Amino acid sequence: METQSLWEHTLTFFPQYLAALRERVAPDATVAVVGASDGKFVLPLAAAGYRVVAIERDALALRGGQVRLPGDSDAYAMGLIDRLELEELHARVEVIEGDFLEGEPLDMQCDAVWTSCSWHYSANHHHPLAEFVDRMQRLVRPGGVFGAEFMMPVEKRHHSVEHYTSPERLHRHFLGDWVVLLTLHTNEFTERAHVGRPHDHTHRMGLLLAARSHTLTDRF
């Protein structure tokens, strides 16, 4: 599905996550998207029949506004809320505006959770990566699916920041009630300039999919 997102053409492991959803949760399951941005993943999930909880703190991503594009040109970008109205998907999506890492963890459980390249942003470094992972895990009810794609270290400075991680390092967060279903990673690749990165740049990306046991131990 073309979403007209600012991030439409950035690389993603989202198809692997969708395959896990089709295999493991009901067709009308509830999926939480942490870092929903302007809807690159929210709209396809809602269009596929899922109920979506979209969690985002960026007012521009939610409501739209002027953005600086590569080449120093300005443009108006439509926000998630207007895009949902335009596509008539708003009834399937609950939008939660706020910082996912601030305050008490969200008091809800969903059938699945997903985040895309949110961990490495410097604004999220004031909380340990383990806390971010734990808060996401708490959203997943027994039998549900956890999915995250993330940036891996490329530059020397990345290796001193735990939020640039790897599938191997993440395994220690998925013990007990969890089983890791799939891990993948890319080699270094060049991504074209996009909003926030005005020049071509190099990335490595990883994916981890996990399932929560139907029988939980006491971990709260």
Side-chain angles (χ1 to χ4, degrees), residues 37-158:
S37 189
D38 63 0
K40 177 178 178 177
F41 306 109
V42 172
L43 269 71
L45 286 167
Y50 297 106
R51 297 184 296 272
V52 184
V53 178
I55 304 165
E56 178 57 59
R57 67 183 177 193
D58 185 350
L60 189 148
L62 290 174
R63 297 178 178 81
Q66 293 296 122
V67 296
R68 177 60 57 91
L69 301 176
D72 290 332
S73 61
D74 291 328
Y76 177 83
M78 186 179 292
L80 171 63
I81 294 171
D82 285 343
R83 183 164 291 118
L84 290 170
E85 292 282 349
L86 181 66
E87 299 294 337
E88 299 183 347
L89 294 170
H90 54 282
R92 302 199 64 82
V93 180
E94 176 187 359
V95 177
I96 297 178
E97 183 174 5
D99 189 332
F100 181 66
L101 295 175
E102 291 300 321
E104 293 297 317
L106 292 177
D107 185 20
M108 67 169 61
Q109 285 203 312
C110 304
D111 300 287
V113 66
W114 169 254
T115 196
S116 173
C117 301
S118 59
W119 294 343
H120 75 284
Y121 281 107
S122 59
N124 293 326
H125 293 182
H126 59 293
H127 290 266
L129 178 58
E131 180 180 346
F132 204 139
V133 173
D134 179 70
R135 284 181 180 236
M136 287 182 60
Q137 289 174 329
R138 289 170 181 261
L139 291 178
V140 182
R141 63 171 51 100
V145 175
F146 178 109
E149 59 185 10
F150 44 87
M151 293 300 179
M152 298 173 63
V154 175
E155 301 175 22
K156 183 178 180 180
R157 63 184 177 87
H158 295 162

Side-chain angles (χ1 to χ4, degrees), residues 4 13 21 40 62 87 95 138-139 148 155 160 164 169-170 176 184 202 211 216:
Q4 300 182 27
F13 289 112
L21 293 185
K40 177 178 178 177
L62 290 174
E87 299 294 337
V95 177
R138 289 170 181 261
L139 291 178
E155 301 175 22
S160 63
Y164 288 88
R169 293 176 186 171
L170 287 169
L184 296 172
T202 301
L216 300 185

Side-chain angles (χ1 to χ4, degrees), residues 161-206:
V161 180
E162 66 166 347
H163 300 75
Y164 288 88
T165 188
S166 69
E168 295 76 19
R169 293 176 186 171
L170 287 169
H171 270 263
R172 66 178 181 270
H173 301 297
F174 292 87
L175 304 174
D177 301 328
W178 293 91
V179 58
V180 174
L181 302 173
L182 176 68
T183 60
L184 296 172
H185 65 84
T186 69
N187 295 322
E188 291 186 9
F189 65 94
T190 299
E191 189 164 74
R192 299 294 300 274
H194 54 71
V195 173
R197 295 295 296 270
H199 306 290
D200 293 357
H201 47 284
T202 301
H203 284 319
R204 291 176 69 214
M205 284 179 59

